[in-house]
Amino acid sequence: MMNDGRVHPAAAATSSDFSGEMDQSQSAYSSSDPSSSPLYSFHFEKPVPPPALPHGHQPKQPQHQKTTPPQKPQPGTYVVQVPKDKVFRVPPPENERLFQHYTRRAKRQSGCSCLRACLYLLLAIVCLAVLLAVAVGVVYVVYKPRQPTYSVVSLAVSGLAGVGNASAPGAFTPGFDATLRADNSRNGKMGVHYDGAGSRVAVSYDGVSLAQGAWPAFYQAPGNVTVFVAKAKGAGLRFSERVRGQMAAAERLRSVPFDVDVKVPVRLQLGGVKTWAVTVTVRCTIAVDRLAATAKVVSRSCSAKVPFLFWRI
């Protein structure tokens, strides 16, 4: 800007450019929201033009004043204004109350979700139990399962000859061949699979274990009666004087009692479906007339336990 009121071309261009841009920016803000103010604003001061002179007249130079060379235009002044709500400050108490409110609501929602999941799980368990009960009822009505019966037909004894004699050897090796009878005639639609693995046949006298063996593996068809032999063997047994005397006296009375305990895993065949394995427990008390392979049974009684409620007699 020069002293005579004339504007330097570069300064004029710069001032007009920025002024135009700022006018457009202010008009944009004012059109969108008149009450809002821009984040940053720039103010420039334009020089006041000199009064117009008649044509042909030249401005008078002041007398006794020296002519100074033209000065360079001063750079524009930039004023940056920041809105008050943009200044960082301590949050108001309302924000803390809102934060606590939303935190408590989130905790309540989490607790409700856990309770809802537990209720759904309980409902699913109840539904499965009901379906299982219905399935068991259908099986009972359709197949009408009954517990097979078991008995000891004969018991051949070996290795105990002369147990009552004082001259008998100190160690005995008893052996038993138990002829067993499994009766599944009451089940016309259910077969039974007997698993030999994991089975046990034990023979004892007055609580003293004498021999152990295994139940043979086989399949018993519906309505079938199966008779088979289960072998049990013992070794190196030494009896006390009391036990030897009791066995000798019982043999003289023609009634030597033995206990036969059987545990065997079975699987039921219901049509085309084979169930899981359950353990059948059989306990028989049998008395023979002598301690020999030709012994005859004088009394017998057996009881069986199967882990199915509807098999109880």
Side-chain angles (χ1 to χ4, degrees):
M1 182 181 305
M2 302 179 68
N3 293 338
D4 56 0
R6 290 179 294 178
V7 181
H8 192 275
T14 305
S15 175
S16 62
D17 293 342
F18 277 101
S19 177
E21 294 178 0
M22 289 308 301
D23 292 341
Q24 295 177 2
S25 174
Q26 291 177 359
S27 63
Y29 277 100
S30 61
S31 62
S32 60
D33 186 4
S35 62
S36 63
S37 61
L39 184 60
Y40 302 103
S41 61
F42 304 91
H43 299 274
F44 301 94
E45 296 182 358
K46 295 183 179 181
V48 180
L53 297 177
H55 183 69
H57 290 268
Q58 295 295 333
K60 296 181 179 181
Q61 295 293 338
Q63 296 181 357
H64 307 291
Q65 184 176 3
K66 296 182 179 180
T67 304
T68 58
Q71 299 180 358
K72 293 183 179 180
Q74 298 293 331
T77 302
Y78 298 88
V79 179
V80 179
Q81 294 182 350
V82 180
K84 184 178 180 180
D85 57 350
K86 301 299 182 179
V87 179
F88 292 102
R89 56 188 174 85
V90 178
E94 292 79 5
N95 290 5
E96 182 179 0
R97 288 195 294 269
L98 288 175
F99 174 77
Q100 293 177 356
H101 170 71
Y102 289 127
T103 303
R104 287 193 297 268
R105 188 171 66 178
K107 290 182 179 179
R108 288 196 299 269
Q109 291 178 353
S110 178
C112 294
S113 299
C114 294
L115 180 60
R116 192 179 299 109
C118 293
L119 291 177
Y120 287 157
L121 179 60
L122 180 61
L123 180 61
I125 293 175
V126 171
C127 292
L128 289 177
V130 171
L131 292 177
L132 181 60
V134 171
V136 171
V138 171
V139 169
Y140 179 78
V141 171
V142 173
Y143 292 96
K144 298 180 180 180
R146 294 292 184 271
Q147 176 178 293
T149 59
Y150 305 93
S151 61
V152 179
V153 178
S154 64
L155 184 66
V157 184
S158 62
L160 292 177
V163 68
N165 298 333
S167 60
F172 294 87
T173 305
F176 299 90
D177 292 345
T179 302
L180 305 177
R181 183 175 185 269
D183 188 352
N184 192 35
S185 59
R186 296 194 300 170
N187 291 302
K189 298 181 180 180
M190 185 189 73
V192 182
H193 295 268
Y194 294 94
D195 297 336
S199 64
R200 183 175 67 90
V201 178
V203 181
S204 60
Y205 173 82
D206 194 22
V208 179
S209 179
L210 301 178
Q212 290 189 2
W215 183 289
F218 63 91
Y219 170 69
Q220 189 173 29
N224 179 263
V225 178
T226 305
V227 178
F228 58 95
V229 176
K231 296 180 178 293
K233 191 74 173 177
L237 299 181
R238 296 181 181 273
F239 303 110
S240 63
E241 292 294 335
R242 181 186 64 83
V243 174
R244 294 177 65 171
Q246 288 178 353
M247 293 179 69
E251 188 175 14
R252 287 193 297 270
L253 296 175
R254 301 290 182 175
S255 181
V256 183
F258 293 100
D259 294 325
V260 180
D261 295 306
V262 177
K263 287 186 177 182
V264 55
V266 302
R267 298 175 184 271
L268 307 181
Q269 186 73 39
L270 303 173
V273 178
K274 184 188 294 186
T275 66
W276 59 91
V278 296
T279 301
V280 174
T281 302
V282 181
R283 183 177 180 85
C284 297
T285 300
I286 182 172
V288 295
D289 61 348
R290 63 176 63 90
L291 298 176
T294 57
K296 295 181 180 181
V297 177
V298 295
S299 65
R300 65 173 69 88
S301 65
C302 292
S303 62
K305 293 182 180 180
V306 183
F308 283 105
L309 296 177
F310 51 83
W311 270 21
R312 293 182 178 178
I313 299 176

